[in-house]
Amino acid sequence: QEQLVQSGGGLVQAGDSLRLSCAASGRTFSSYAMGWFRHAPGKEREFASGKEREFITSISWSGANTYYADSVKGRFTISRDNAKNTLYLQMNSLKPEDTAVYYCAAREDPSGSYNWQEYDYWGQGTQVTVSS
């Protein structure tokens, strides 16, 4: 069982950067693929029911393979430190349309996926607000 605890986030201006962290408490973090998803403000209910979960990026267990949604490619970077059981999302050149609640997720598989249904554990979510 993995517990994921997120940190980071907040209110920034367009063009600024932020880094989100996701700390895992289990012993198997290094064997799991990880991902980041988000939902727009006011879509909590849809997110809880499985809708409106926008894939942002994923990373394989070793960090060797990463995938990005077109909307964030070139601006966001996913990384992981298996020694620290921590996942990161570096967000640069933030835009107002990046305003959302961001969630990290762990998949009991070494390969990443864009499909939220293939993830087994989720963080609590963290708000990112980008003002114009």
Side-chain angles (χ1 to χ4, degrees), residues 102-120:
Y102 286 72
Y103 294 83
C104 64
R107 183 185 186 211
E108 291 182 345
D109 190 280
S111 299
S113 171
Y114 65 88
N115 185 351
W116 68 267
Q117 293 177 305
E118 295 182 357
Y119 287 82
D120 302 283

Side-chain angles (χ1 to χ4, degrees), residues 23-90:
S25 62
R27 298 181 180 180
T28 52
F29 173 80
S30 61
S31 65
Y32 290 170
M34 301 294 294
W36 289 96
F37 293 78
R38 67 186 181 188
H39 72 76
K43 297 292 185 181
E44 291 81 6
R45 184 171 296 179
E46 289 83 352
F47 184 88
S49 67
K51 303 175 183 178
E52 300 289 339
R53 297 193 187 194
E54 179 187 1
F55 168 79
I56 302 173
T57 179
S58 68
I59 188 168
S60 61
W61 70 277
S62 66
N65 295 300
T66 57
Y67 301 94
Y68 294 91
D70 288 343
S71 59
V72 305
K73 197 174 295 182
R75 299 188 299 122
F76 290 12
T77 302
I78 189 172
S79 62
R80 64 190 299 162
D81 186 336
N82 286 344
K84 296 182 178 179
N85 277 11
T86 303
L87 174 75
Y88 303 99
L89 180 65
Q90 178 66 42

